[in-house]
Amino acid sequence: MSTVKSEQFFSPPSKSFKAELGDIILYVNKWQLCGQRIIAEHSAVNGINLVTNSSERFKRLYLDGIWVNDESPEGLIIKLDELIHNDTSFTVNLQNIKFTECRLIKYTAWEGSFEPYINLKLELIAVSSPEEVASDGG
């Protein structure tokens, strides 16, 4: 009598897409990018407001997705913690947009009861402006 071994196969949700954060690959369900310019205003003697300083802030990139549990979860947590601890700069490829010189500033990871993946929320800063990358689909 032969026995058939039952195995689980995981397919990311159809609306998710693959994103690369250095050597970490995750499937993003949703993302948000925030750009900001800070302006300092001061009142002149005559009561008119003047702009005395203006600077662009680093972009903030928020990613919400999953990491497929093909390795041990503790390996992922250690990698994420090292990125924060060492202030490591890396490139993020997000759909057809590339962000160079990114840094991880916050992560939240949690495991569902029977899910074959780890849920992730990441907050990154992007030092450089985003660049458009040509898609491979010809």
Side-chain angles (χ1 to χ4, degrees), residues 79-134:
K79 283 182 189 177
L80 292 172
D81 203 59
E82 285 175 352
L83 290 174
I84 289 177
H85 179 76
N86 297 331
D87 196 24
T88 306
S89 180
F90 54 91
T91 297
V92 173
N93 294 308
L94 183 68
Q95 291 181 313
N96 293 338
I97 306 169
K98 179 169 83 172
F99 298 89
T100 57
E101 298 182 63
C102 288
R103 291 188 176 106
L104 180 64
I105 57 175
K106 182 179 179 181
Y107 70 87
T108 305
W110 70 98
E111 183 178 42
S113 54
F114 297 105
E115 299 165 343
Y117 53 84
I118 304 295
N119 295 284
L120 287 174
K121 286 187 184 222
L122 305 176
E123 183 178 345
L124 309 148
I125 58 169
V127 176
S128 301
S129 295
E131 301 170 26
E132 185 176 3
V133 177

Side-chain angles (χ1 to χ4, degrees), residues 36-57:
Q36 183 179 19
R37 174 165 289 282
I38 301 297
I39 296 176
E41 300 178 62
H42 291 287
S43 297
V45 176
N46 62 2
I48 297 174
N49 285 339
L50 302 172
V51 173
T52 59
N53 195 8
S54 172
S55 65
E56 182 181 16
R57 295 287 181 150

Side-chain angles (χ1 to χ4, degrees), residues 62-81:
Y62 301 92
L63 302 175
D64 190 351
I66 56 174
W67 175 80
V68 179
N69 194 2
D70 59 350
E71 298 175 24
S72 61
E74 57 272 8
L76 171 67
I77 301 305
I78 289 169
K79 283 182 189 177
L80 292 172
D81 203 59

